[in-house]
């Protein structure tokens, strides 16, 4: 049987969450410290721990079949690589930042200036879209110190919380793109490997649905069930079970966590009582 090869970041912010989502898919990975690759014991999968910046080329060359990688890296180095699933974690921005003392009014103020970045292609394309030219200084790591040491007038870098910018007396002035972890596929996968990819994608989607949903059950007067049903988002239809108390039922459904409190308020107003909310481990549709 052929083995699906997936690349994840060797270390850093993506590594732990990438391993976790695979484990949530029921995949046991036999990895130890400082291993460059590890096999799963219960799924035809091999994990390769790679340097983040190398992953797009490994996909293009077909050395790996899949990768969990930041969308921003594909924009920079692998625009033609197909993304088959957004994963919803490791969210960040690629932004332009300038010293706090820099008088900034618009993107035009950066024309001709020195920009330090690890994303030269992204920067070039962005400024070209405004018809502007900048002097790009490509560096890797510690981009945020470039203005302080006189290497650049501004930077383009990943921004998550903004604390690193603050510590280096920088402020964000433009957002070039928003990024998150994605599941990307090589253009050179075989039909047999594609079957494994489809299976893994299905499992990941089930995990993501569960993460974004809550199981909800409540006691509802029978006369209010139709009204409650119009409030609740349902998979197919409500589950309604009669209670021992005549005229009442237990109503079960699934609710999106992003709209949770708004829906709860409406349910209470409609007459629901004893509302219980539970996490969902997996959600298979």
């Amino acid at each position: 049987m052929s083995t699906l090869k997936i690349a994840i970041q060797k270390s850093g912010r993506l590594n732990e969450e990438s391993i976790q989502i695979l484990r949530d898919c029921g995949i046991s990975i036999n990895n130890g410290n400082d291993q460059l690759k590890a096999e799963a014991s219960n799924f035809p999968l091999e994990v390769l721990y790679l340097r983040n910046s190398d992953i797009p080329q490994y996909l293009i060359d077909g050395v790996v079949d899949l990768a969990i990688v930041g969308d921003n890296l594909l924009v920079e180095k692998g625009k033609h690589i197909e993304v088959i699933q957004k994963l919803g974690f490791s969210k960040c921005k690629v932004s332009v930042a300038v010293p706090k003392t820099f008088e900034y009014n618009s993107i035009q103020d950066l024309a001709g200036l020195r920009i330090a970045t690890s994303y030269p292609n992204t920067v070039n394309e962005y400024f070209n879209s405004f018809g502007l030219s900048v002097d790009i200084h490509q560096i890797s790591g510690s981009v945020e110190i470039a203005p302080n040491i006189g290497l650049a007038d501004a930077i383009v870098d990943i921004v998550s919380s903004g604390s690193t910018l603050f510590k280096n007396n920088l402020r964000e002035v433009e957002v070039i793109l928003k990024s998150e972890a994605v599941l990307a596929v090589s253009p050179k996968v075989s039909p047999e490997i594609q079957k494994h990819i489809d299976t893994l994608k299905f499992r990941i989607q089930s995990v993501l649905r569960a993460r974004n949903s809550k199981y909800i059950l409540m006691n509802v007067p029978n006369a209010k069930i139709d009204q409650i049903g119009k409030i609740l988002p349902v998979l197919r239809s409500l589950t309604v079970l009669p209670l021992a108390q005549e005229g009442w039922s237990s109503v079960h459904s699934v609710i999106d966590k992003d709209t949770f409190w708004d829906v709860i308020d409406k349910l209470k107003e409609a007459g629901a009582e004893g509302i219980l909310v539970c996490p969902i481990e997996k959600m298979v549709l």
Side-chain angles (χ1 to χ4, degrees):
M1 178 183 291
S2 58
T3 300
L4 173 64
K5 294 182 179 179
I6 184 169
I8 67 170
Q9 188 176 356
K10 183 178 180 181
S11 60
R13 62 192 183 89
L14 266 175
N15 176 272
E16 290 184 9
E17 289 179 291
S18 298
I19 291 294
Q20 187 59 54
I21 197 167
L22 293 176
R23 286 175 174 162
D24 288 346
C25 289
I27 297 173
S28 299
I29 302 168
N30 302 317
N31 63 308
N33 292 333
D34 300 322
Q35 279 187 283
L36 295 180
K37 65 178 182 178
E39 293 185 357
S41 60
N42 58 351
F43 191 84
L45 178 77
E46 184 177 67
V47 179
L48 278 71
Y49 300 98
L50 302 175
R51 194 170 65 172
N52 200 41
S53 59
D54 292 338
I55 290 177
Q57 194 60 50
Y58 276 74
L59 283 167
I60 292 168
D61 293 341
V63 177
V64 297
D65 306 302
L66 281 178
I68 296 176
V69 65
D71 196 23
N72 59 292
L73 193 60
L74 297 182
V75 171
E76 175 65 22
K77 292 188 171 185
K79 275 200 166 183
H80 300 298
I81 295 173
E82 183 184 1
V83 171
I84 60 172
Q85 182 66 52
K86 293 187 175 183
L87 300 176
F89 56 81
S90 291
K91 293 185 177 181
C92 64
K93 299 173 286 184
V94 176
S95 300
V96 183
V98 299
K100 291 179 180 178
T101 56
F102 188 95
E103 188 174 339
Y104 185 86
N105 298 301
S106 73
I107 194 71
Q108 306 294 328
D109 294 331
L110 298 175
L113 298 186
R114 299 169 299 166
I115 309 290
T117 187
S118 301
Y119 302 93
N121 296 328
T122 303
V123 173
N124 257 328
E125 185 173 331
Y126 180 71
F127 282 95
N128 286 341
S129 70
F130 291 94
L132 301 177
S133 176
V134 294
D135 181 13
I136 295 177
H137 287 245
Q138 184 177 354
I139 57 178
S140 57
S142 302
V143 173
E144 63 277 356
I145 70 169
N148 292 330
I149 62 176
L151 179 64
D153 304 300
I155 70 167
V156 171
D157 201 14
I158 289 176
V159 176
S160 296
S161 66
S163 60
T164 302
L165 294 183
F166 180 80
K167 290 175 184 177
N168 287 276
N169 293 312
L170 300 172
R171 62 188 177 97
E172 181 184 72
V173 292
E174 298 285 342
V175 176
I176 295 179
L177 60 91
K178 294 182 179 181
S179 176
E180 64 182 274
V182 297
L183 189 66
V185 62
S186 168
K188 297 185 178 181
V189 297
S190 67
E192 187 175 0
I193 289 295
Q194 185 61 52
K195 292 179 181 178
H196 297 327
I197 291 174
D198 292 341
T199 299
L200 180 60
K201 180 183 175 183
F202 175 79
R203 292 192 187 188
I204 287 175
Q205 288 175 337
S206 298
V207 169
L208 294 177
R209 288 191 197 99
R211 288 182 179 181
N212 293 323
S213 304
K214 299 289 185 182
Y215 189 78
I216 185 169
L217 55 157
M218 69 209 78
N219 298 329
V220 178
N222 290 342
K224 299 284 188 176
I225 291 176
D226 288 343
Q227 185 179 349
I228 293 292
K230 293 176 182 177
I231 298 169
L232 283 170
V234 294
L235 299 178
R236 186 177 297 274
S237 64
L238 294 177
T239 298
V240 180
L241 303 173
L243 294 179
Q245 183 176 347
E246 188 175 348
W248 284 77
S249 294
S250 177
V251 174
H252 301 221
S253 188
V254 173
I255 186 171
D256 190 286
K257 71 175 185 178
D258 292 332
T259 59
F260 172 78
W261 287 112
D262 288 338
V263 173
I264 291 294
D265 290 340
K266 291 176 182 177
L267 291 172
K268 289 180 65 179
E269 290 175 5
E273 298 180 4
I275 302 172
L276 299 180
V277 180
C278 307
I280 301 173
E281 184 175 338
K282 303 290 187 296
M283 190 168 166
V284 181
L285 299 181

